[in-house]
Amino acid sequence: MLVLGLLLMAGAAAFAGLLIAYNLSGGPDYTVTLLGSEPFTISTLGAFLGGIALTLIFGLGMWMLLAGTVLARHRGKKRRRERETARRATTERDELAGRLEGSDGSADASDETAGHRRPSGHRRQWLRPHGHH
């Protein structure tokens, strides 16, 4: 959306600039010269309506550019929120796992430093199928 908006704005501005640069002679009815060719003859009303159309196209391009920027910023904030939520969930999971290990007596309090715990091996009794010892 950003690129399309930018292209519309640039195209409308370039077209209007070329029309102005190549047609400074004026007159009630005159032939438009654009890049060495004469594609059409235009009246004063036609030039006025053409200017309005170019302004609308330029405005549409500007709107698309701004909407794309706002959308990209919104997506970035959403991603940051999701990452923060994931970090909190991971921290909470690690704290609960540390408490569980502490209640089993398998982890020492000295192993935990600043909220981090040392990874422990699997508890083999959890991996055994039922009925087999």
Side-chain angles (χ1 to χ4, degrees):
M1 203 156 161
L2 284 168
V3 175
L4 285 176
L6 190 60
L7 286 175
L8 276 175
M9 286 173 50
F15 188 71
L18 287 172
L19 280 177
I20 290 169
Y22 284 110
N23 298 294
L24 293 176
S25 63
D29 282 335
Y30 62 95
T31 303
V32 174
T33 305
L34 185 64
L35 298 175
S37 66
E38 298 175 352
F40 53 89
T41 302
I42 194 166
S43 66
T44 306
L45 178 61
F48 176 72
L49 294 176
I52 289 175
L54 284 173
T55 303
L56 290 174
I57 291 172
F58 185 82
L60 176 66
M62 180 74 81
W63 176 79
M64 290 176 74
L65 180 71
L66 292 174
T69 303
V70 168
L71 184 62
R73 189 177 299 155
H74 176 70
R75 285 182 182 164
K77 286 181 182 179
K78 184 178 178 183
R79 286 185 191 137
R80 273 184 246 126
R81 266 188 262 125
E82 289 172 352
R83 272 188 255 132
E84 184 60 32
T85 302
R87 274 191 216 113
R88 282 192 217 127
T90 302
T91 303
E92 184 179 352
R93 182 202 61 203
D94 291 345
E95 287 175 4
L96 292 173
R99 287 183 197 164
L100 182 63
E101 286 178 0
S103 67
D104 290 343
S106 60
D108 294 336
S110 62
D111 289 342
E112 296 181 19
T113 57
H116 298 290
R117 63 181 182 86
R118 216 177 69 219
S120 61
H122 291 289
R123 296 190 178 114
R124 295 180 188 252
Q125 66 270 18
W126 289 1
L127 299 175
R128 288 191 201 140
H130 293 287
H132 299 290
H133 293 280

